[in-house]
Amino acid sequence: MSELKVDQLLIIGVGLIGGSFALALRELGIVREIVGAGRSRENLEKAVALGVIDRYTENFPTEVENSNVIFVSTPVLATDRVFAMIAKENYRHSIITDAGSVKGCVVSAAEKHFSSDYCGFVAAHPIAGRENSGVGAATGDLYAGKRTIITPSNQSGDDAIETVRQLWESVGAQVSQMDAFTHDELVSASSHLPHLVAFGLVNYIANHSRSQECFDLAASGFYDFTRIASSDPTMWRDISLSNADDIIRELKGYINNLEKIISQISQGNGDQLQEILNVAKVSRDYYLAQWTK
């Protein structure tokens, strides 16, 4: 494996995900210069002040030609527009990757805008994050020990795949690979559903007839369960709309499971109710032990 070096990295979207990627690579000395781009000048100025990026641009297409790697870390619904802007420039020598939580629409956007013989696009999803957002939340160890899924497409050449894999492995991620649509189906249950359930629960309590009293009595269980409802609403709006079919299927399945619990409670079936609870506890305890190894 050759030594990984990047002359210029362009990060479009310098928030928690993009900023943490930049910090980790900076600490390793892999990138000579990191250029940031985004909608908020204030956030970009903060990124420079924090040492996350070297400089920023408010017109990122002018940096495409000089960037060896372009990392797109925007809300998913913005990806199509970003790719369209990149495609107008001399991008063919660059490796382009992303960090979106939905991959099918990202791969489709790449196929729509980039040349069919371009082999430098590699979609990826780092399964890491926190409820806080913005570059101020970025940390160099965000990806250490976390999974990153690479979802190659027809535009992913072997060299580009290997470079993206090395970049993620260098920041401590455990990299695996699958096709984009399998990815979207699986994360709709394991990631997208839990976030929407957390948002839904807090929304329900916020609109409860005795909302303030409910919040006043909330304890650690409520705060642990709903922590991720403090995540960026724009990001989760885009994820929900971009992976709608898979998410709707999982939401309906979850509602059906809740209906079973309601049925056991309403009928006073303690044994059956306890069996549901036992399966949940045993399953969580088992997988928690695997996660913490």
Side-chain angles (χ1 to χ4, degrees):
M1 182 183 296
S2 60
E3 183 181 11
L4 181 62
K5 289 291 183 182
V6 176
D7 188 50
Q8 180 172 301
L9 168 67
L10 173 60
I11 296 184
I12 304 172
V14 190
L16 170 66
I17 299 300
S20 295
F21 191 64
L23 277 175
L25 291 174
R26 178 182 296 288
E27 291 170 2
L28 293 166
I30 289 173
V31 181
R32 183 187 66 81
E33 184 176 42
I34 303 174
V35 181
R39 295 172 296 174
S40 167
R41 176 185 287 186
E42 180 182 1
N43 186 70
L44 292 170
E45 290 175 344
K46 186 175 184 179
V48 173
L50 292 172
V52 175
I53 59 176
D54 295 297
R55 60 183 176 88
Y56 69 86
T57 176
E58 295 181 277
N59 183 25
F60 76 79
T62 62
E63 298 291 340
V64 167
E65 184 172 4
N66 296 320
S67 299
N68 311 93
V69 177
I70 301 172
F71 183 77
V72 180
S73 182
T74 63
V76 178
L77 289 182
T79 304
D80 184 83
R81 176 180 59 81
V82 170
F83 284 0
M85 296 173 72
I86 292 173
K88 293 178 181 178
E89 308 300 324
N90 182 16
Y91 67 89
R92 295 179 63 87
H93 70 290
S94 304
I95 291 174
I96 303 170
T97 187
D98 80 305
S101 295
V102 184
K103 300 273 60 98
C105 65
V106 170
V107 168
S108 295
E111 292 174 345
K112 173 183 174 183
H113 295 294
F114 302 143
S115 173
S116 59
D117 62 348
Y118 171 63
C119 57
F121 173 71
V122 183
H125 174 204
I127 305 179
R130 292 174 176 154
E131 65 273 22
N132 299 318
S133 58
V135 71
T139 175
D141 63 356
L142 181 67
Y143 304 112
K146 304 296 176 55
R147 293 190 66 186
T148 290
I149 310 299
I150 292 176
T151 61
S153 65
N154 294 330
Q155 293 175 309
S156 305
D158 291 342
D159 289 345
I161 292 173
E162 182 58 24
T163 296
V164 172
R165 176 182 292 275
Q166 285 186 49
L167 284 168
W168 282 113
E169 288 180 345
S170 71
V171 301
Q174 300 172 357
V175 181
S176 57
Q177 188 170 311
M178 66 180 65
D179 72 87
F181 298 100
T182 298
H183 166 276
D184 290 355
E185 181 179 3
L186 294 175
V187 298
S188 68
S190 62
S191 175
H192 303 167
L193 174 63
H195 278 81
L196 291 175
V197 169
F199 279 117
L201 175 57
V202 178
N203 186 270
Y204 171 75
I205 298 298
N207 290 284
H208 196 280
S209 60
R210 303 183 71 174
S211 174
Q212 187 58 56
E213 293 170 275
C214 289
F215 281 123
D216 287 344
L217 292 175
S220 59
F222 178 84
Y223 290 110
D224 289 345
F225 184 84
T226 61
R227 176 186 60 81
I228 53 178
S230 290
S231 301
D232 183 0
T234 299
M235 180 179 76
W236 283 99
R237 175 203 65 191
D238 284 12
I239 290 170
S240 299
L241 296 177
S242 300
N243 200 24
D245 290 344
D246 286 333
I247 288 174
I248 289 171
R249 181 193 64 246
E250 298 302 334
L251 281 170
K252 287 181 176 179
Y254 181 66
I255 290 169
N256 182 59
N257 195 64
L258 289 178
E259 292 287 355
K260 291 179 180 177
I261 293 174
I262 291 171
S263 176
Q264 301 309 323
I265 294 173
S266 64
Q267 296 176 48
N269 292 332
D271 290 343
Q272 290 86 342
L273 175 61
Q274 185 167 344
E275 179 59 26
I276 293 173
L277 304 181
N278 283 341
V279 169
K281 173 178 169 46
V282 170
S283 298
R284 186 182 188 280
D285 289 349
Y286 173 79
Y287 285 105
L288 183 61
Q290 307 307 305
W291 300 329
T292 55
K293 279 185 178 179

